[in-house]
Amino acid sequence: MLLRWTRTELLNKLDSKVSFDEYLSFEPEAFIDNKRLKGLEDVHVSGDGYYIADLDIFEVDMVVSGIMITPCAITNEDIEVSFEFDSQIEFSFVDTDDVDVYVVENDIVELIPVIFQLINLEVPLKAVSSGNVEYPNGEGWRIISEEDLKSSKKDEIDPRLAKLKDFKFSDDE
C-alpha cells in the first residue's frame, strides 16, 4: 500500500474507514539537506482513516515508530535514536484557512510526506551517544563531561566566601 487514496476511493468505501499497517523506507536523497536527520530505519506506521463526506474531510489517527539516525552533539558521529508518537491529522478536500488542516491537491490524499514532516518534528535538538564518549580536544582546549566539571568544582571555594575560611570564633565573651 502506498498510503495514498483518491477521493473516489474514499467515497466508494462502504464504512468510510481505511485501515493501514505498513513499514516505510525513505530514499537517501530525502536527507541530503537535513543537518539533524541523517536517515531512518524500521519506520512503522499503523492507524485508521475516516472519510466524513458531509464535511469533505479525511481524518487520520496513526502511530508512527522507528529509528532515526542523527549526529551526536559532541562527536558528530551518527547515532541511532528510537522514536514513537501518535498523531491525528485532518485532510480537507476544500480550501480552508485552518493551519492545522492539510488541503488535498488533485483529490489525492498522500500520507507519506506528512509522516516524514512529523518525524522531522520529533528529531531531538541534541542527542549524545551513550557509553564512553571520546570527547574532542585540541591545542589549548578540551571538552569535559559534566561529572568531571562537578568533581573539579567540588573542592573549589567560592571567592566571595574565601575570607570566611580565616575567621575564628573566639571563646572570650
Side-chain angles (χ1 to χ4, degrees), residues 34-53:
N34 197 328
K35 295 184 185 331
R36 291 181 30 223
L37 183 61
K38 303 294 183 181
L40 291 168
E41 296 176 354
D42 302 327
V43 178
H44 179 254
V45 59
S46 62
D48 298 309
Y50 305 93
Y51 180 66
I52 303 170

Side-chain angles (χ1 to χ4, degrees), residues 6-156:
T6 64
R7 182 185 215 173
T8 307
E9 289 174 337
L10 296 173
L11 282 168
N12 291 335
K13 292 280 184 188
L14 294 177
D15 59 357
S16 301
K17 179 180 174 183
V18 176
S19 295
F20 51 91
D21 187 3
E22 298 290 326
Y23 280 92
L24 305 177
S25 61
F26 295 91
E27 297 295 323
E29 294 83 32
F31 308 102
I32 289 175
D33 293 331
N34 197 328
K35 295 184 185 331
R36 291 181 30 223
L37 183 61
K38 303 294 183 181
L40 291 168
E41 296 176 354
D42 302 327
V43 178
H44 179 254
V45 59
S46 62
D48 298 309
Y50 305 93
Y51 180 66
I52 303 170
D54 297 344
L55 302 174
D56 212 12
I57 61 173
F58 183 61
E59 292 181 345
V60 177
D61 294 322
M62 64 182 166
V63 176
V64 182
S65 62
I67 298 171
M68 63 179 70
I69 312 299
T70 185
C72 176
I74 296 173
T75 63
N76 207 28
E77 294 177 2
D78 289 348
I79 58 172
E80 295 181 348
V81 177
S82 60
F83 65 91
E84 182 174 346
F85 61 91
D86 59 339
S87 184
Q88 293 80 33
I89 305 295
E90 191 172 296
F91 295 91
S92 176
F93 288 95
V94 294
D95 284 335
T96 180
D97 292 332
D98 191 348
V99 294
D100 294 329
V101 176
Y102 290 89
V103 177
V104 176
E105 296 178 11
N106 301 325
D107 285 346
I108 298 175
V109 174
E110 292 196 55
L111 199 53
I112 291 177
V114 175
I115 292 170
F116 188 72
Q117 182 181 24
L118 292 171
I119 291 172
N120 271 291
L121 293 174
E122 295 293 319
V123 176
L125 293 175
K126 282 197 255 182
V128 179
S129 61
S130 60
N132 260 345
V133 175
E134 187 66 35
Y135 291 100
N137 58 39
E139 192 173 319
W141 65 273
R142 69 184 177 99
I143 295 177
I144 60 172
S145 68
E146 193 165 339
E147 292 83 25
D148 292 342
L149 177 66
K150 285 180 182 176
S151 67
S152 70
K153 288 198 175 226
K154 187 168 79 172
D155 298 329
E156 194 175 291

